[in-house]
Amino acid sequence: MKNLQGKVAVITGAGSGLGRELAKVCAGRGMKLVLADVDEPGMAQTLAGIRKAVPDVAAVSMRVDVSKLDEVQALATLARESFDGAHVVFNNAGVSAGGPLWEATEADWQWVTGVNVYGVAWGIQSFVPLMLAQGEGHVVNTASAAGWVNAPGGGIYNASKHAVVAISETLAFDLRMAEANVGVTVLCPAFFPTAIVDAERNRPPELADTAPMSEARKFHQEMVRHAVMHGRISAEEIAEMTVSAVEHDQFYVFPHKKIKQLIKARAEAAEREQEPFDTMAGAKA
Ligand SMILES: NC(=O)c1ccc[n+]([C@@H]2O[C@H](COP(=O)([O-])OP(=O)(O)OC[C@H]3O[C@@H](n4cnc5c(N)ncnc54)[C@H](O)[C@@H]3O)[C@@H](O)[C@H]2O)c1
């Protein structure tokens, strides 16, 4: 979608991190904003920041839990009623829970899968029909490098992000077969500094059941916190790359170039058939 001016951007997870930066970049391109998050004060902060730079931005926001289909459908209704459509939908909300897989609880799986996988599925289900009817659109799914290469301790998160890559590729093929004028982009960053390290802050009470903190889980959390907080590319830069990918109808976005080398090395490990690809050793190489 070459010209985003006047078009409508729907952004989930807009109350923090990458979602906030995506909202800023979209506003800078002259887009109207439909923001969604479970964190209402966070969204208010996002909007206040944007209004300083773009005082006349047209924007609405709604508290939406993306793991709930009816809430994402209500978001689509808001976009239709406020701005008569939705052109670029960023299925971006995401959470993370870590530790050895055998320690993970049912609630850990439900929470992370609910937000990271169902959130993307419901975004597609609620907005793509609208895009097909209006004759144009673009879906951006935030996956991760974890959608390609698997670090230890991130089993649920890795599985959820592999699902996002699979969903995105399949969606692109389905739209091609339907000859639809709807593009797809899948964003696959490695670590970058955001509040994802404190994702538990927005975990719903009904899915709070998690295992007691083991040494292994503590080690994983500290490792991830360090990696996220020392990420060399900012959320702001990644947001700019992502919106530019929409403008150039680019499917994959790998802000961290090293990930493409790791994917090749993983394919070589698959070729050898002997051992699982060791992402950590590959990243150090
Ligand atoms: N930061 C990283 O290192 C990194 C790396 C790769 C991919 N990602 C992905 O980037 C995306 C954005 O994460 P971030 O790093 O900006 O983290 P963040 O915690 O700063 O932002 C995530 C936002 O999602 C919201 N959210 C959580 N549960 C929700 C729900 N059920 N419904 C709606 N909103 C919900 C949170 O309230 C928060 O505002 C996620 O999909 C994440 O997996 C992050």
Side-chain angles (χ1 to χ4, degrees), residues 16 18 37 64-66 92 157 161 189-192 194 201-202:
S16 177
L18 180 60
D37 204 299
V64 174
D65 177 347
V66 296
N92 168 73
Y157 186 78
K161 294 300 186 177
F191 300 113
F192 59 96
T194 67
R201 71 194 186 281
N202 292 323

Side-chain angles (χ1 to χ4, degrees), residues 12-20 36-39 42-43 63-68 71 91-96 111 114-116 142-146 157 160-161 187-199 201-204 224 227-229 235 238 256:
T12 71
S16 177
L18 180 60
R20 175 171 292 166
D37 204 299
V38 287
D39 180 352
M43 278 193 289
R63 188 197 187 279
V64 174
D65 177 347
V66 296
S67 71
K68 308 247 164 67
E71 296 191 20
N91 292 312
N92 168 73
V95 294
S96 171
W111 176 49
V115 180
N116 295 9
T142 302
S144 169
Y157 186 78
S160 76
K161 294 300 186 177
L187 171 62
C188 308
F191 300 113
F192 59 96
T194 67
I196 194 153
V197 285
D198 297 312
R201 71 194 186 281
N202 292 323
R203 185 165 174 160
V224 170
V228 167
M229 294 334 260
I238 294 173
H256 305 79

Side-chain angles (χ1 to χ4, degrees), residues 3-25:
N3 186 3
L4 299 177
Q5 175 74 37
K7 300 276 165 68
V8 180
V10 179
I11 303 164
T12 71
S16 177
L18 180 60
R20 175 171 292 166
E21 298 305 324
L22 286 167
K24 282 187 199 163
V25 174

